[in-house]
């Protein structure tokens, strides 16, 4: 499995299998995997907590559901972009998180 197939950057290959890897390559793979899981926290845990608090404390529910939809769409774009090795699609998914924050901040006073 390749993550963004351009090998011209000088970094070791992140392919699974193949040649035996040294400790530095294994460390680099762990770092890549840990950063790849970061969007899961923002897309899954935070919006669902906000929805839970909206129902628990009887707060307006439109913004939590908007944030939930936008962050889950971003997570889907990131997954598709990584699966198809398309950086623009992945960056569009990453851009959904600031978009969700901006929309919620702008619409907070309207709703």
């Amino acid at each position: 499995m390749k993550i963004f197939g351009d090998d011209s950057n000088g970094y070791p290959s992140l392919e699974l299998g193949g040649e035996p890897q040294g400790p530095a390559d294994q460390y680099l793979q762990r770092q890549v995997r840990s950063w790849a899981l970061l969007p899961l926290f923002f897309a899954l845990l935070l919006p669902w907590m906000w929805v839970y608090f909206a129902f628990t404390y009887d707060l307006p529910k439109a913004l939590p559901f908007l944030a939930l939809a936008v962050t889950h769409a971003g997570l889907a774009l990131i997954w598709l972009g990584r699966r198809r090795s398309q950086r623009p699609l992945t960056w569009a998914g990453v851009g959904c998180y600031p978009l969700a924050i901006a929309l919620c901040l702008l619409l907070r006073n309207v709703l």
Side-chain angles (χ1 to χ4, degrees), residues 21-68:
Q21 297 175 344
D25 292 339
Q26 290 174 354
Y27 175 76
L28 182 62
Q29 273 193 334
R30 280 194 307 273
Q31 290 295 318
V32 168
R33 275 190 231 118
S34 66
W35 282 104
L37 295 176
L38 187 63
L40 288 176
F41 171 75
F42 290 110
L44 296 176
L45 185 61
L46 290 179
W48 282 108
M49 284 176 47
W50 195 11
V51 168
Y52 169 76
F53 287 129
F55 279 100
T56 302
Y57 297 110
D58 199 30
L59 300 171
K61 292 159 185 63
L63 288 179
F65 281 112
L66 174 68
L68 190 70

Side-chain angles (χ1 to χ4, degrees), residues 36-41 43-44 69-81 93-94 96-97:
L37 295 176
L38 187 63
L40 288 176
F41 171 75
L44 296 176
V70 172
T71 53
H72 277 64
L75 183 64
L77 286 174
I78 289 172
W79 183 77
L80 281 173
V94 170
C96 285
Y97 301 118

